[in-house]
Amino acid sequence: IMTLQNPGDVVFTPGGWWHQVVNETPSIALTENFINESNYQIVRDYIESNFPNDLKKIYKKYIPQMFKN
């Protein structure tokens, strides 16, 4: 799927979909990542396996409930 996004347009990318964005002009982008019960364990496992320890400490400090067993 390829699309051209115009000013004011919103594009929804479902969780797990690979995607690429090319800004053709100087742009401001707003994005949000959503974690809920359907992808919680995937996100937690990814953080535990791939993030450096100093970054994991930040996540554990500000989102401690995510890392309780």
Side-chain angles (χ1 to χ4, degrees), residues 1 11-19 32-34 38-39:
I1 299 173
V11 176
F12 172 75
T13 305
W17 280 35
W18 287 89
H19 63 283
E32 183 176 328
N33 295 309
F34 186 74
S38 71
N39 63 1

Side-chain angles (χ1 to χ4, degrees), residues 35-44 65-66 68:
I35 301 171
N36 67 12
E37 63 275 353
S38 71
N39 63 1
Y40 164 81
Q41 193 63 49
I42 293 167
V43 173
R44 181 181 173 183
Q65 66 276 17
M66 186 171 183
K68 291 181 181 175

Side-chain angles (χ1 to χ4, degrees), residues 47-48 55-65 67:
I47 291 170
E48 289 286 8
L55 188 53
K56 281 192 262 191
K57 286 179 187 176
I58 294 170
Y59 271 79
K60 289 177 181 182
K61 178 179 179 180
Y62 291 102
I63 318 171
Q65 66 276 17
F67 296 93

Side-chain angles (χ1 to χ4, degrees), residues 4-15:
L4 178 62
Q5 185 177 3
N6 294 299
D9 289 350
V10 173
V11 176
F12 172 75
T13 305

